Amino acid sequence: ELAIDAFIVPSDDPHQSEYVATCYERRAFISGFKGSSGTAVITQAAALLWTDGRYFLQAEAELFPGWTLVKDRLPETVPVEQWLAANLTGGASV
C-alpha cells in the first residue's frame, strides 16, 4: 500500500501545454472543473482547487461536492506549497 499524504493534480500535460488533449484532463476528471488553469490538491481530509479570477464562477459551478475553491492570486490566498507545508506533518509524502 502506498503511503501518500497529499496528491497534486496540475492542469498541464508533459509538454506544459495550456490546452491539453482529453487524455490529460486528469484535474477535470477528479474535480469536475474544466477550466484551462488550476491545481487540485487532495489529502485524506480535504480536496481543494486553486485557480485564478478568470475561473472563479466556472469553478464554483463545476466542482464536485466536497471540493473547496481556493481563489488564487488574491493577497490573502496561501499558495499551494505553503498550504501543504502548513497542513502536512514533516516527512509527509506528496
Side-chain angles (χ1 to χ4, degrees), residues 56-80:
F56 292 168
L57 294 176
Q58 181 180 350
E60 287 172 351
E62 292 179 348
L63 282 173
F64 294 144
W67 280 81
T68 300
L69 171 61
V70 180
K71 295 181 175 181
D72 203 11
R73 300 184 189 167
L74 296 180
E76 65 275 10
T77 301
V78 176
V80 172

Side-chain angles (χ1 to χ4, degrees), residues 2-87:
L2 297 175
I4 298 173
D5 299 295
F7 194 77
I8 300 172
V9 185
S11 298
D12 50 16
D13 62 14
H15 308 287
Q16 303 296 310
S17 304
E18 181 177 3
Y19 299 100
V20 299
T22 304
C23 62
Y24 291 115
E25 293 179 349
R26 298 174 298 271
R27 195 218 48 244
F29 175 81
I30 203 153
S31 71
F33 174 62
K34 297 179 181 93
S36 66
S37 178
T39 301
V41 174
I42 304 151
T43 69
Q44 291 287 340
L48 305 106
L49 173 82
W50 275 255
T51 193
D52 64 61
R54 298 172 293 168
Y55 298 104
F56 292 168
L57 294 176
Q58 181 180 350
E60 287 172 351
E62 292 179 348
L63 282 173
F64 294 144
W67 280 81
T68 300
L69 171 61
V70 180
K71 295 181 175 181
D72 203 11
R73 300 184 189 167
L74 296 180
E76 65 275 10
T77 301
V78 176
V80 172
E81 297 83 3
Q82 288 181 10
W83 187 91
L84 289 167
N87 289 276

